Amino acid sequence: MPHARATHLTRRGLLAAGGALGLGAALAACGDDKGKDGGSGTEAKAGTSGPWSFKDDRGTTVKLDKVPANIVAFTGVGAALYDYGIQVKGVFGPTKTAAGKPDVQAGDMDISKVTVLGNTWGQFSVEKYASLAPDVLVSTLFDSAGTLWYVPEESKKKIAQLAPSVGISVYDRQLTEPLQRMWDLAASLGADMKAAAVTDARKRFEEAAARLRAAAKAKPGIKVMAGSASDQLFYVSGTNLSVDLEYFKALGVNFVEPPESAKKQGGGWYESLSWENVDKYQADIIMMDDRTSAIQPADITKATWKKLPAVKAGQVIARSPEPILSYDKCVPLLTNLAEALEKAKKVS
């Protein structure tokens, strides 16, 4: 999903080039009931003896003699597990900015305490990975084929030989479903799911969802557009396929929806617009991709952007197309959109 500027129009390349932008499932009061998963892991303490198993979203069950202690994960997954008290040994994916600071996808992880196997699309040091003696690799899935996110195609076989993998799907479902799946995984790895910080975060998520639902109901005419910026193109995401947008839509948020025909080149995720045509859709609020691979609103110099009614009205907020899948990190996603809706004026 990061804007890797891929040149081959494979599904993965499309996600990388366009940020799946629009990328980047349920509690009873928060959308549909897809996320009511009873859990599929065996809870224990990391590294302890005794069997461990976890059935992932590819339908693959990983079985080990003991609970994994040496965990390697996609950066966002590592950040989610960290929020549940699970420290991974290595990460791959956007971890450090050019200035050496933690990437937005690293969350609260202390990146000085993890081995970074690769920081950008296509980077993954198999040698470093092997040196960690990994018990398991965990990543997200952005397609129906079960492709592990940020695991390079050219080295996936070597990587697979070193340790089994777990995939958590964030494809074509609501946010609450992968949130529950990450909860299940953390529990199986020995996290204390009854800790006050954990249960409080889940409660705050439910409250934030109720707030967003109420805000959307109060402002049904406010149109929201999910966008992402690159040098040459502006990407408009549809709600289909993206876990956050599908969930927000289920809560009642009124989104700009590019037609399926327009999203065809974007693999069904998004429509690509030239900056001259950035005003194709009318929107009162614009949610912009917050990943470091995308140009941030403050750095967009295009005159056509500055003329957009939502931009002129200051109704532009951040969006996390690749949410960190812990309740703590997802609360602000709901709260920020709810607040934007509550304050929004009709400008389109």
Side-chain angles (χ1 to χ4, degrees), residues 98-120:
K101 296 181 179 180
D103 187 274
V104 64
Q105 295 191 63
D108 292 330
M109 274 196 307
D110 182 346
I111 61 174
S112 69
K113 293 184 178 180
V114 294
T115 298
V116 180
L117 307 180
N119 198 61
T120 61

Side-chain angles (χ1 to χ4, degrees), residues 322-343:
E322 295 184 60
I324 293 173
L325 298 172
S326 71
Y327 287 100
D328 179 71
K329 293 300 180 291
C330 287
V331 168
L333 310 186
L334 298 168
T335 302
N336 293 344
L337 181 53
E339 183 177 0
L341 282 169
E342 292 163 355
K343 295 180 178 179

